[in-house]
Amino acid sequence: MHNSARVALFHGVGQPFEVSRQPIVTSNEANVLVRVKLASICGSDLHTITGRRSVPLPCALGHEAIGMVAAPTQLRDAYGNSLNEGDRITWSIAASCGRCYNCDNKNLPQKCEGLFKYGHAGGETNVGFSGGFAEYIQLQPGTAIYRIPSALTDRETVPLNCACATVLDGLDAVGVKSGDNAIVQGAGMLGIYAACYLRENGCESVMVVDYREDRLKYAARFGATQTFNLTDTSVDDVGHAVQQITNHHGADLVLEVSGVSAALSNAVDWLGFGGRCLTLGFVYPGADVSLDAQQVVTKCLTIRGLHNYHPSALGEAVRFVEEKRDRYPFDALIGATYPLVEIDAAFERAQRGDLIRVAVDPQME
Ligand SMILES: [Zn+2]
Ligand SMILES: [Zn+2]
């Protein structure tokens, strides 16, 4: 192992990443030093580089990542087992204390008062190995760490610790019932995991709405029973189709993962009595939405948000994809992989939007 390693630093909107070497500190066995195998570019990384949300600069971005334990550690995995050098692992996107008001009283460790979020730390003195776009990442105590089953490929596993865990935790919060008619707004990574999970959990129909045909094609491979492209189908026409498909009962469940402000208003229109809406897409400030609140009241609707997920959801995500990997091409959702020195090209590729995920392999030359 080397004394220093490369990390890609974000310096602000419109500026190229700087790939520089930083010293590695391995003396602290209260942390885990991890050699990053693969890191994928999440939609929220794109919000950051386009200035839709701000981070301290310079910032070590990247929170969807997996790697190998690279030094002896006292930390244990989420099930209490010791961790050994060479173990291939995934981890929760944040570390929490387990003792504060939000951790203990509210069971929201993802909102810990001392939360440390990977891929979001920065500043001249604080940046270090805290993000996935680097050869190494240093994991803190209070991180939920899971060993990756040997059957799973790196590409199948890398988006689990943000996209998949968030979707599974959110759907668990609103509940999925066998026979539900569900709508997914947005066919990105979260929408695709959702389509697959809803179908596998007995939903009668899984209707997926997006503006991009290429993404809707993925959704169809991952369990969508109907897809609607809003570039050539009006919102009203989708509403009519929802009525027909649901025998005029309206949808039971709408999952918003688009971040588009009209989505909640449409969700309220499309839901039937007692309907549930889970919203996950508004992860940037100032997302003002308007909706017909009378429908929320008179249809007895539930609107539920969720952010960062409870760390236990990552264990569920690993189990889900391990169980379903023979039925769905999860591996193909990573459409391109770039070496760390080409991280600018990787972000450009991700911004085109035609690939579900673009990854960076920090060990690739
Ligand atoms: Zn993310
Ligand atoms: Zn806490």
Side-chain angles (χ1 to χ4, degrees):
M1 205 178 71
H2 309 98
N3 299 325
S4 68
R6 293 178 302 177
V7 52
L9 296 180
F10 172 65
H11 283 280
V13 178
Q15 297 196 47
F17 278 85
E18 176 202 5
V19 179
S20 65
R21 294 196 83 84
Q22 301 234 357
I24 300 175
V25 182
T26 52
S27 57
N28 184 358
E29 289 194 20
N31 296 341
V32 193
L33 184 72
V34 176
R35 188 168 188 256
V36 178
K37 288 200 80 188
L38 200 61
S40 43
I41 299 172
C42 172
S44 55
D45 291 317
L46 297 179
H47 288 320
T48 302
I49 66 142
T50 52
R52 264 179 122 180
R53 65 179 202 180
S54 58
V55 289
L57 297 174
C59 187
L61 294 179
H63 53 277
E64 280 186 358
I66 59 163
M68 316 271 270
V69 175
T73 178
Q74 293 157 1
L75 286 193
R76 291 175 174 265
D77 73 8
Y79 303 113
N81 302 311
S82 56
L83 289 164
N84 302 308
E85 282 181 74
D87 285 350
R88 193 169 61 125
I89 58 169
T90 177
W91 53 88
S92 53
I93 49 170
S96 38
C97 77
R99 294 178 303 277
C100 72
Y101 185 75
N102 291 345
C103 280
D104 199 23
N105 294 47
K106 295 197 165 178
N107 192 27
L108 285 172
Q110 71 267 41
K111 293 288 148 184
C112 175
E113 290 168 9
L115 193 76
F116 180 83
K117 209 169 163 183
Y118 299 106
H120 293 74
E124 288 301 339
T125 54
N126 196 25
V127 66
F129 290 97
S130 58
F133 302 133
E135 288 176 299
Y136 288 89
I137 185 169
Q138 192 89 245
L139 303 184
Q140 313 288 328
T143 306
I145 298 170
Y146 293 87
R147 278 194 182 75
I148 299 170
S150 55
L152 287 175
T153 67
D154 290 349
R155 293 197 300 183
E156 283 171 327
T157 317
V158 71
L160 297 184
N161 77 330
C162 181
C164 191
T166 305
V167 164
L168 266 54
D169 200 23
L171 289 175
D172 185 53
V174 290
V176 178
K177 299 188 189 104
S178 182
D180 271 353
N181 289 298
I183 301 173
V184 178
Q185 298 170 310
M189 197 61 160
L190 282 85
I192 284 168
Y193 280 130
C196 177
Y197 186 81
L198 291 166
R199 197 79 183 112
E200 289 294 322
N201 281 276
C203 283
E204 180 74 24
S205 58
V206 179
M207 301 164 255
V208 180
V209 181
D210 199 285
Y211 290 91
R212 296 192 62 123
E213 200 56 37
D214 41 15
R215 290 184 166 233
L216 288 169
K217 285 208 174 95
Y218 277 104
R221 287 167 74 190
F222 280 83
T225 53
Q226 289 89 7
T227 60
F228 299 101
N229 186 339
L230 289 178
T231 54
D232 54 30
T233 309
S234 72
V235 167
D236 284 346
D237 285 345
V238 177
H240 294 311
V242 170
Q243 284 299 311
Q244 294 223 306
I245 291 163
T246 63
N247 283 329
H248 299 276
H249 290 120
D252 301 294
L253 177 61
V254 175
L255 169 58
E256 178 285 312
V257 280
S258 66
V260 174
S261 53
L264 286 187
S265 163
N266 295 339
V268 163
D269 286 341
W270 296 338
L271 281 166
F273 294 122
R276 293 103 69 205
C277 174
L278 170 67
T279 174
L280 302 174
F282 299 104
V283 286
Y284 53 89
D288 285 333
V289 299
S290 66
L291 49 80
D292 179 2
Q294 189 199 15
Q295 293 203 69
V296 178
V297 174
T298 58
K299 289 184 183 171
C300 311
L301 303 183
T302 303
I303 299 179
R304 171 77 197 244
L306 185 124
H307 186 226
N308 286 357
Y309 71 86
H310 190 285
S312 59
L314 178 55
E316 298 299 321
V318 172
R319 262 196 298 279
F320 176 70
V321 170
E322 186 188 16
E323 224 178 276
K324 307 297 178 189
R325 63 186 298 274
D326 293 336
R327 304 188 50 182
Y328 301 95
F330 293 108
D331 207 85
L333 294 171
I334 305 288
T337 301
Y338 291 78
L340 192 63
V341 289
E342 290 177 28
I343 188 167
D344 289 311
F347 268 81
E348 271 172 42
R349 190 72 183 83
Q351 280 186 287
R352 277 198 242 162
D354 58 323
L355 301 178
I356 301 297
R357 275 290 186 271
V358 171
V360 171
D361 177 350
Q363 314 302 331
M364 184 197 272
E365 287 304 324

mmCIF file of all heavy atoms in Angstrom, residues 95-104 108-109 111-115, ligand 2:
data_model
loop_
_atom_site.group_PDB
_atom_site.id
_atom_site.type_symbol
_atom_site.label_atom_id
_atom_site.label_comp_id
_atom_site.label_asym_id
_atom_site.label_seq_id
_atom_site.Cartn_x
_atom_site.Cartn_y
_atom_site.Cartn_z
ATOM 1 N N ALA A 95 -22.579 8.355 8.331
ATOM 2 C CA ALA A 95 -22.272 7.810 9.654
ATOM 3 C C ALA A 95 -23.053 8.593 10.690
ATOM 4 O O ALA A 95 -23.146 9.820 10.601
ATOM 5 C CB ALA A 95 -20.770 7.919 9.930
ATOM 6 N N SER A 96 -23.637 7.874 11.668
ATOM 7 C CA SER A 96 -24.420 8.563 12.699
ATOM 8 C C SER A 96 -24.011 8.059 14.078
ATOM 9 O O SER A 96 -23.424 6.986 14.211
ATOM 10 C CB SER A 96 -25.912 8.374 12.442
ATOM 11 O OG SER A 96 -26.176 7.083 11.964
ATOM 12 N N CYS A 97 -24.352 8.847 15.130
ATOM 13 C CA CYS A 97 -23.810 8.568 16.469
ATOM 14 C C CYS A 97 -24.587 7.491 17.217
ATOM 15 O O CYS A 97 -24.051 6.828 18.094
ATOM 16 C CB CYS A 97 -23.757 9.863 17.285
ATOM 17 S SG CYS A 97 -25.374 10.382 17.934
ATOM 18 N N GLY A 98 -25.888 7.321 16.900
ATOM 19 C CA GLY A 98 -26.698 6.319 17.599
ATOM 20 C C GLY A 98 -27.204 6.750 18.969
ATOM 21 O O GLY A 98 -27.926 6.002 19.623
ATOM 22 N N ARG A 99 -26.842 7.951 19.424
ATOM 23 C CA ARG A 99 -27.208 8.372 20.790
ATOM 24 C C ARG A 99 -28.010 9.667 20.852
ATOM 25 O O ARG A 99 -28.649 9.946 21.857
ATOM 26 C CB ARG A 99 -25.935 8.573 21.619
ATOM 27 C CG ARG A 99 -25.141 7.324 21.876
ATOM 28 C CD ARG A 99 -23.886 7.646 22.667
ATOM 29 N NE ARG A 99 -23.056 8.634 21.990
ATOM 30 C CZ ARG A 99 -22.179 8.350 21.026
ATOM 31 N NH1 ARG A 99 -22.019 7.113 20.621
ATOM 32 N NH2 ARG A 99 -21.474 9.308 20.459
ATOM 33 N N CYS A 100 -27.974 10.487 19.809
ATOM 34 C CA CYS A 100 -28.605 11.817 19.880
ATOM 35 C C CYS A 100 -30.137 11.699 19.779
ATOM 36 O O CYS A 100 -30.688 10.611 19.602
ATOM 37 C CB CYS A 100 -28.053 12.719 18.774
ATOM 38 S SG CYS A 100 -28.644 12.280 17.133
ATOM 39 N N TYR A 101 -30.796 12.831 19.855
ATOM 40 C CA TYR A 101 -32.270 12.850 19.839
ATOM 41 C C TYR A 101 -32.821 12.197 18.567
ATOM 42 O O TYR A 101 -33.729 11.365 18.630
ATOM 43 C CB TYR A 101 -32.745 14.305 19.948
ATOM 44 C CG TYR A 101 -34.247 14.430 20.051
ATOM 45 C CD1 TYR A 101 -34.910 14.116 21.238
ATOM 46 C CD2 TYR A 101 -35.012 14.844 18.956
ATOM 47 C CE1 TYR A 101 -36.287 14.216 21.336
ATOM 48 C CE2 TYR A 101 -36.385 14.943 19.046
ATOM 49 C CZ TYR A 101 -37.028 14.625 20.236
ATOM 50 O OH TYR A 101 -38.384 14.716 20.316
ATOM 51 N N ASN A 102 -32.286 12.571 17.417
ATOM 52 C CA ASN A 102 -32.810 12.037 16.157
ATOM 53 C C ASN A 102 -32.485 10.552 15.968
ATOM 54 O O ASN A 102 -33.294 9.792 15.432
ATOM 55 C CB ASN A 102 -32.285 12.840 14.961
ATOM 56 C CG ASN A 102 -32.859 14.235 14.926
ATOM 57 O OD1 ASN A 102 -33.847 14.523 15.609
ATOM 58 N ND2 ASN A 102 -32.248 15.121 14.160
ATOM 59 N N CYS A 103 -31.290 10.142 16.405
ATOM 60 C CA CYS A 103 -30.918 8.728 16.318
ATOM 61 C C CYS A 103 -31.775 7.886 17.253
ATOM 62 O O CYS A 103 -32.345 6.874 16.853
ATOM 63 C CB CYS A 103 -29.449 8.543 16.719
ATOM 64 S SG CYS A 103 -28.265 8.937 15.433
ATOM 65 N N ASP A 104 -31.864 8.335 18.500
ATOM 66 C CA ASP A 104 -32.419 7.490 19.552
ATOM 67 C C ASP A 104 -33.937 7.664 19.691
ATOM 68 O O ASP A 104 -34.681 6.696 19.668
ATOM 69 C CB ASP A 104 -31.706 7.834 20.867
ATOM 70 C CG ASP A 104 -31.870 6.721 21.881
ATOM 71 O OD1 ASP A 104 -32.114 5.572 21.452
ATOM 72 O OD2 ASP A 104 -31.800 6.996 23.085
ATOM 73 N N LEU A 108 -34.256 8.021 13.505
ATOM 74 C CA LEU A 108 -33.854 8.585 12.215
ATOM 75 C C LEU A 108 -32.341 8.823 12.229
ATOM 76 O O LEU A 108 -31.872 9.967 12.202
ATOM 77 C CB LEU A 108 -34.579 9.912 11.954
ATOM 78 C CG LEU A 108 -36.053 9.852 11.553
ATOM 79 C CD1 LEU A 108 -36.673 11.232 11.528
ATOM 80 C CD2 LEU A 108 -36.217 9.166 10.187
ATOM 81 N N PRO A 109 -31.565 7.713 12.279
ATOM 82 C CA PRO A 109 -30.106 7.905 12.313
ATOM 83 C C PRO A 109 -29.589 8.659 11.089
ATOM 84 O O PRO A 109 -28.531 9.287 11.151
ATOM 85 C CB PRO A 109 -29.553 6.475 12.366
ATOM 86 C CG PRO A 109 -30.682 5.596 11.932
ATOM 87 C CD PRO A 109 -31.941 6.294 12.318
ATOM 88 N N LYS A 111 -30.683 11.265 10.096
ATOM 89 C CA LYS A 111 -30.794 12.688 10.428
ATOM 90 C C LYS A 111 -30.067 12.967 11.736
ATOM 91 O O LYS A 111 -30.434 13.870 12.489
ATOM 92 C CB LYS A 111 -32.280 13.091 10.523
ATOM 93 C CG LYS A 111 -32.993 13.021 9.179
ATOM 94 C CD LYS A 111 -32.546 14.151 8.272
ATOM 95 C CE LYS A 111 -32.571 13.727 6.821
ATOM 96 N NZ LYS A 111 -32.049 14.775 5.919
ATOM 97 N N CYS A 112 -29.043 12.176 12.046
ATOM 98 C CA CYS A 112 -28.227 12.344 13.255
ATOM 99 C C CYS A 112 -27.775 13.797 13.393
ATOM 100 O O CYS A 112 -27.431 14.443 12.404
ATOM 101 C CB CYS A 112 -27.012 11.417 13.144
ATOM 102 S SG CYS A 112 -25.826 11.603 14.478
ATOM 103 N N GLU A 113 -27.740 14.284 14.641
ATOM 104 C CA GLU A 113 -27.300 15.670 14.865
ATOM 105 C C GLU A 113 -25.819 15.842 14.499
ATOM 106 O O GLU A 113 -25.383 16.947 14.210
ATOM 107 C CB GLU A 113 -27.572 16.066 16.319
ATOM 108 C CG GLU A 113 -29.063 16.210 16.591
ATOM 109 C CD GLU A 113 -29.419 16.325 18.070
ATOM 110 O OE1 GLU A 113 -28.507 16.456 18.917
ATOM 111 O OE2 GLU A 113 -30.635 16.265 18.368
ATOM 112 N N GLY A 114 -25.058 14.750 14.525
ATOM 113 C CA GLY A 114 -23.647 14.840 14.141
ATOM 114 C C GLY A 114 -23.371 14.085 12.844
ATOM 115 O O GLY A 114 -22.286 13.538 12.661
ATOM 116 N N LEU A 115 -24.352 14.049 11.958
ATOM 117 C CA LEU A 115 -24.255 13.225 10.742
ATOM 118 C C LEU A 115 -23.010 13.556 9.920
ATOM 119 O O LEU A 115 -22.695 14.720 9.688
ATOM 120 C CB LEU A 115 -25.497 13.462 9.874
ATOM 121 C CG LEU A 115 -25.695 12.462 8.726
ATOM 122 C CD1 LEU A 115 -26.211 11.137 9.260
ATOM 123 C CD2 LEU A 115 -26.686 13.011 7.698
HETATM 124 ZN ZN ZN B 2 -27.048 10.797 16.265
#
